Amino acid sequence: MKIKVCGLKHSKNIKELTQLPIDYAGFIFYPKSPRYVGEEFDAAIPALFSKSTRKVGVFVNEELDVLLAKGKKYKLDAMQLHGGESAEYCRKVKEAGFEVIKAFQMNDSFQFESLEKYGNVCDFFLFDTKTENYGGSGRKFNWELLENYKGSIPFFLSGGIGAQDAEQIKQLSHDKLYALDLNSGFELQPAKKNADQLEIFLNKLELNTMNKDKYAVDERGYYGEFGGAYIPELLRKNVDELQENYLKILASEQFKKDYARLLDNYVGRPTPLTKAGNLSKRYGTNIYLKREDLTHTGAHKINNTIGQILLAKYMGKKRIIAETGAGQHGVATATVCALFGLECIVYMGALDVERQAPNVARMKMLGAKVVPAISGNQTLKDATNEAIRDWIANPESFYLIGSVVGPHPYPDLVTRLQSIISKEIREQLEKETGNPNPNYVIACVGGGSNAAGAFYHYLNEKDVNLVAVEASGLGVESGETAATITIGDIGFIHGSKTMLMQDDDGQITEPYSISAGLDYPGVGPLHAHLAVSGRAQFLSATDEEALNAAKVLAESEGIIPALESSHALAVLEKMQFKKDDVVVINLSGRGDKDMETYMKKFN
Amino acid sequence: MNRIDQLFQNKQKDILSIYFPAGYPKLEDTLPTLQLLQDKGVDLVEIGIPFSDPLADGPVIQTAAKQALDNGMTLQILFDQLKDARKSITMPLILMGYWNTVYKFGVDAFLAECQKVGIDGVILPDLPLEEYQEEYKAKFEAAGVHNVLLVTPQTTDKRLVTIEKAASGFLYMVSTASTTGGALQASKEREDYFKKIAALDIPSLIGFGIHDKVSFQHAASFSNGAIIGTAFIKALEKGNAAEFLESLQ
Ligand SMILES: Cc1ncc(COP(=O)(O)O)c(C=O)c1O
């Protein structure tokens, strides 16, 4: 849920508020309001808020020219139209480039059908209490009326919200409720907000948990219709134990401290956000690379294994099982097991053992036992089956899964552990450009863990375009592909309801990609949900396109990417960017392990 | 009356149940194998629906399932093979498989076929109980198809209460923490677990690791009977299925 604070005016007061998570700052340009900014309002005052706070001008039946002029002068992002403005008027404001928030006054006889004509010309509605004087009454309306709103436009809830309302707000479940509009309930005097009271209120709302709602798992591990825990009874107790413990442990002070310390001085975080100057020139935009390739062991996988090994330790587990495809997760698991002195068994498809020999050697040197999976086609899917079978036979072990796949809670657990990626991107971008939000975040998807981490803190930021790139192998039509979202449909794999590649009889088919890390016939349930809901765009890149993109990056920026990450880079060729767009690519790993493949292609 | 319920009404001890994958070793072997099992006095049969990724199965069943798939086995072919089975087969028949194949086939279509060919129950180890109860239970009941539930040595007492309430037909008592085909180790703990489940209000059969007369009789002494899978598949592979069944008598 977003927060709008309205009726702002004084610079000193605003400076007290800039540290709070305020998404919209409202300035009232209606002369009859007690919170009217006045004739001489200084244009520098709205600019005290950072770019991530959108500035809203509130107008009542204003002349269009006057409104547009004020919009320009005060660099407003959105216009809140609080009078009897027509749909036509709204359309003109929207065409002038402003976000339009149309306010309506609620009482028991309000006709929600009357909103229909505003559907195409407004970004948001705002529902306020009906009064004589265009809002500002300090009274709430009957929120049960909201149940009658069945439209598709998200809305702001306004009118008399005060500190005492936090609990009631948390109970509201309307799926179009987008933001809260706070004003008189948090004032010392008109237009002067009580920053302390606001802060306490916002903490009470637990926005961080609420904000993830739409794309977060529910209690049973579903993202929309995807996820769950489709496991045999044999695994029930293990999975239940993990479900019951993971959030508690992740939230504990001890975990937070240990995890942060290890990420900092063992993994080498934060990883840099590198502006790729030559690449930016080549594609006529602003490209940043999130450098997961610079972590210890060379890929994002270690963010997850550090977190899960701590979880295993707190749960008293002594034996660790993992699956691996490219070997990156296997190496990252072997690494943390060595660090914590735990037994480590890594299942790896027999074919991958051959394809990724350097990583097999690394795991062995780190003291792990590498077991080739000889069932099925002997790649990642089969390694995962074998790891799960081991877990069935050894229920006291800890299964340290490598991506956002598997039964609940694994997809959520791994997403949370990888979310450090987007947390850092936000901070780094804000420093670099003044805006934590880029226009695009692009990441490759095998199971989807690096993408989930890179997307996480942007899931509810609708101005950020999320782009997921699957491996299409020899081409989606060739049959030799791993582009699950493009050619797959709904099914069940490794304990999760998700999109997967299968034949008409429900047999899971074998994926193909040149990159062992993307060679998986399923995709994490979060991604299935992001694809089906349209929140993320799913593209794909072929072997050939990925190889070429790797060469381009190596030659233009001096960075050799992992073959997996090269798939994300490859879509730069297919997308159109504006000159001032900010594009972040998650460079999930480094290319050392892929040198043999690269040499074959380029020598 | 459902043939499973009838069986448990008529017979409380030493019920022998056999598992084998459909379409194995040859595509057309399903029906002849059923006939052999009936002729040899088997009480109950679980026909495996072959799946590409059988998570709860050990190497023998995995290989057999792969063989069946390579033979061209599908769920539709299985139903076609069973079309006239009820002309001669009177044993209760259960289909055992993984949820993905059933879901993909379509639950309604699946149940309609089950009714048509005379299937009495299903075992779908990876369909969670909660999802089953909320979305599918009514349909299975309307079709007269029992959804047989599994309990394992790890099943907590709390969950056991839930499972007992939801169970229909009988409980599939998994003997050990293992995939199919493991060895059954006798221990005081194991016997306590068997006794606890046997004391419930619903019949139970013990499976996983039962492979010959001795292990069958041991298991059956704690329950209403036992299930043999892997050992029978090995016999099918060697071509001595009849001898194997006789050795159990
Ligand atoms: C460098 C790198 N990137 C990406 C992946 C794909 O995994 P995920 O989709 O979970 O990020 C892998 C997997 O091995 C990898 O090693």
Side-chain angles (χ1 to χ4, degrees), chain A residues 4 6 80-83 100-108 110-116 118-119 122-131 134-161 169 172 174-183:
Chain A
K4 171 168 174 266
C6 201
Q80 179 176 326
L81 307 175
H82 221 101
V100 175
I101 306 169
K102 179 72 190 86
F104 296 95
Q105 318 233 318
M106 295 293 116
N107 65 7
D108 289 346
F110 185 79
Q111 299 292 319
F112 280 95
E113 299 81 66
S114 67
L115 302 182
E116 272 165 29
Y118 288 93
C122 297
D123 298 279
F124 302 102
F125 294 145
L126 180 146
F127 299 139
D128 193 6
T129 313
K130 186 163 179 78
T131 62
Y134 306 108
S137 67
R139 280 186 294 112
K140 282 186 289 187
F141 65 92
N142 174 10
W143 289 351
E144 281 171 19
L145 293 175
L146 294 172
E147 283 168 27
N148 300 327
Y149 176 57
K150 305 268 195 296
S152 60
I153 307 282
F155 67 87
F156 287 63
L157 178 62
S158 182
I161 297 170
I169 287 166
L172 291 176
H174 200 296
D175 69 335
K176 293 296 176 237
L177 173 57
Y178 176 75
L180 291 182
D181 187 25
L182 308 176
N183 193 342

Side-chain angles (χ1 to χ4, degrees), chain A residues 2 52 68 71 80 89 98 112 131 175 193 214 237 257 294 420 449 470 512 527 540 549 564 568 584 590:
Chain A
K2 304 282 179 189
S52 60
L68 296 181
Q80 179 176 326
Y89 183 96
F98 297 101
F112 280 95
T131 62
D175 69 335
K193 306 298 179 221
K214 216 156 131 203
K237 184 159 172 270
K257 223 176 72 196
L294 293 179
I420 183 75
S449 66
E470 296 188 308
Y512 163 78
H527 293 293
S540 63
E564 290 79 14
V584 175
R590 70 175 87 123

